[in-house]
Amino acid sequence: MSIQETRIVLKNAGKINPLSIDDYIRAGGYAGLRKALQMNPADVIDELMEAGLRGRGGAGFSTGMKQKFTSESCQRCPQRYVVVNADEGEPGTFKDRIIMEQDPHLYLEGTIIAAWAIQATQAYIYIRGEYHESIDKTQKAIEDAYAAGFLGKNILGSGFDLDVEIRLGAGSYLCGEELTMLESLEGKRGNPRIKPPFPAEKGVFGMPTLVNNVETLANAPLIIANGREWYRQFGTERSPGTKIFTISGQVNKPGHYEVPLGVPLQDLIDLAGGMRNGKKFKAALLGGAAGTFVDASMLGEKMTYDNLREKGATLGSGAIIVMAEGDPVYDILHNCLRFFRHESCGKCVPCRVGTTQLVKQADQLKSANGDRKKILEQMVLESQIMAGTSLCPLGQSPILPLESAAKYFSKELCTTHH
Amino acid sequence: MSTQEIIQQFEPKQHNLLHILHALQDAHPENYITEEALEAAAGHLGVTKSTVYGVARYYTMFSLKPRGKHIIRVCASPVCELLHVNDIIAALEEELSIKTGETTKDGLFTLELSECLGQCQEAPSMMINDKIFNNLTSARIREVIQSFKDEARK
Ligand SMILES: Cc1cc2nc3c(=O)[nH]c(=O)nc-3n(C[C@H](O)[C@H](O)[C@H](O)COP(=O)(O)O)c2cc1C
Ligand code: SF4
Ligand code: FES
């Protein structure tokens, strides 16, 4: 018997008309915002912190903590911003799209709550340019929220003002990285900034900025409306709540599945209808290109940020790309390495040269009659150097799929390919 | 709408640049941003032309060269590759008699590759202009391309 989904973030998905704010309100929408506006901003932050909400964009950082830093930094600054990260570029990931297409008011409500929490009066939603449906539905949600008094001046009589605007990306994975996104929001090339300063201190237009992922913000109204205790009944002590996993590849029912954090990988594959046509599981790439390969020995592992990290794997964005016996790990690894080469901005040498070099070496791995083992070792070493010397997290990413593929599939990677 | 009319819709602030470039490209029948448009955008925002050029070049959705009426963007990311998108790309190249990156002689199609389109639940996937096409097969490719050709003949 396979497990059931636990839909809290997706409770409205497919059930209400995403274009109708009335539907959303009838389903309990904007109750979280009403409640938040009657609380102290600091108490809102405290509630999110105690609920244990962690960033769903990939890094799993405490959302409450991030909001606290942002609200407390630079008291002289005349303006604070919320930036919603809806760039969703990690291969294999489409959870934010599902939220935006099926329940756009939920994350918009979360955005307003976050803005109240850090006292920001302007928010930008940065959506990737290819997501036309997400853009249109979010635009409609924003317009309706203005008309209903949830946005604009003096929201629900609270004296709080907030404007929200959509900004469009234009096909750059790197712009999903929060500091690079700030550059893009200012109308510039997506050149990474160097941390620190963090966006909390010096974000868009030099002002304190909170950057949160769509799914992260979609959790906020639920936590505020129902309280931390309610939220903590889902998930584990250190990874509370649910996560939307996007399962693709060799399963019978690829798609998005919301489950409590801590569910084993095997259960998720079962939930997605099991292996396609009864094939045998071989590998999964967890978290996309900037993610890690695992083999069948990891099927029993609990999907939480910390457990996977301890086991050398990643939860990341929640992407699970499933491969079956016979599928070439080599090709998918090669694909990831090409991805990084393509998306590298070229600003720093280790990443510009390294991403090109890794693809070349991967080619050699296939053609060489020589010592494949040596080449693979070289590649891992190269990616380690990149991780230590690159300017931004993109150059620190190739090590993830590479080292994990080498760990589980070195035999396959080092034998002759046909 | 003229280039100037498009640009004037936006406040002259650099943070509007990506939106301006999207609007200019979308309005051009050949789906690209012209020299003249770059210059006009720079003038409106009070930045150098090389700044605008640098931004337009950085983002893969923007083109500085004329393209076809319809832009086909095929996903070449891991899930689509796993589910044999290479066969789809081959079918498209054959059907259109062009290589990836090229435009058909009649100016109707440009074939490009893209990173993950976020449609992996129904891979392999592609977009033609704003529209998504999923669960692609070679047969479906021929159908879709034919329907665009028929549309053009009307
Ligand atoms: C190369 C790169 C790409 C990223 N792309 C995304 C993305 O598309 N969406 C996202 O939410 N976070 C992305 N991130 C993570 C963000 O930098 C950031 O951690 C996140 O927006 C924070 O929000 P959260 O705390 O709510 O997760 C990316 C990071 C890197 C290094
Ligand atoms: S690590 Fe790569 S993407 Fe990041 S700044 Fe350096 S070259 Fe650019
Ligand atoms: S990998 Fe092709 S749509 Fe995601």
Side-chain angles (χ1 to χ4, degrees), chain A residues 55-59 61 66 85 87-90 96 173-174 176-178 211-213 216 393-394:
Chain A
R56 301 296 195 242
F61 192 79
K66 206 181 206 177
N85 191 337
D87 200 38
E88 194 152 72
E90 193 63 59
D96 297 336
Y173 166 68
L174 185 53
E177 191 277 325
E178 55 187 18
V211 185
N212 268 141
N213 168 262
T216 310
L394 190 137

Side-chain angles (χ1 to χ4, degrees), chain A residues 97 167 169-171 188 190 335, chain B residues 15 22 58-61 76 81 118:
Chain A
R97 176 175 67 76
R167 316 298 300 182
K188 301 178 187 154
N335 191 306
Chain B
H15 71 246
H22 271 298
Y58 178 88
Y59 294 94
T60 55
M61 284 181 81
E81 170 155 4

Side-chain angles (χ1 to χ4, degrees), chain A residues 91-92 94 97 128 130-132 166-172 184-190 205 248 254 322 335 338-339 342-343, chain B residues 14-19 22 54-55 58-62 73 76-79 81-83 115-121 127 130:
Chain A
F94 47 95
R97 176 175 67 76
R128 64 180 290 188
E130 295 90 343
Y131 272 11
H132 296 280
I166 294 177
R167 316 298 300 182
L168 298 185
S172 157
S184 186
L185 275 167
E186 293 177 9
K188 301 178 187 154
R189 294 164 62 93
F205 308 123
S248 61
V322 180
N335 191 306
R338 288 198 309 274
F339 176 75
H342 184 244
E343 298 297 329
Chain B
Q14 188 175 348
H15 71 246
N16 285 324
L17 180 52
L18 268 68
H19 280 230
H22 271 298
V55 171
Y58 178 88
Y59 294 94
T60 55
M61 284 181 81
F62 298 134
R73 304 178 77 212
S77 281
V79 186
E81 170 155 4
L82 188 64
L83 300 176
E115 303 300 354
C116 178
L117 296 169
Q119 299 291 334
C120 337
Q121 82 288 354
M127 289 180 82
D130 295 359

